[in-house]
Amino acid sequence: MIVENTQTQMRKGILEYCILSIIAKGETYASDIIAELKKAQLLVVEGTLYPLLTRLKNNGLLTYNWVESISGPPRKYYVLSDEGRAVLEQLDKTWQELVFAVQTAIGERK
């Protein structure tokens, strides 16, 4: 049980960073974000993603555009705001620091 809780917390800790990184590649639809996360073996459901996207938008890190769809209702495509790009740059640096810290702490275990 302890391992599962720690794994969950580790995944939650990097989820926003991964979402911002995916959106940074270009205008992105929510189902495309889920597909990218799934490819990265970070399984996320819509019920988890949409509140995160709303929070990131409310914090000024994302904007969105409505795009007409030929197969149904209009779709919301997300884009990083200038503030979102600045935050992502800071998170990139933090990620590199964390990778170094973990690799150093782990060292060569026996």
Side-chain angles (χ1 to χ4, degrees), residues 85-103:
R85 288 199 180 282
V87 166
L88 183 57
E89 285 179 21
Q90 292 175 328
L91 293 177
D92 285 337
K93 290 177 188 172
T94 301
W95 177 251
Q96 292 305 316
E97 292 166 359
L98 287 170
V99 167
F100 174 78
V102 170
Q103 288 174 337

Side-chain angles (χ1 to χ4, degrees), residues 8-28:
T8 298
Q9 291 304 315
M10 291 170 79
R11 285 185 177 100
K12 283 182 182 178
I14 62 167
L15 188 56
E16 286 184 25
Y17 175 55
C18 291
I19 290 169
L20 290 172
S21 295
I22 291 166
I23 296 171
K25 297 174 187 175
E27 200 172 60
T28 310

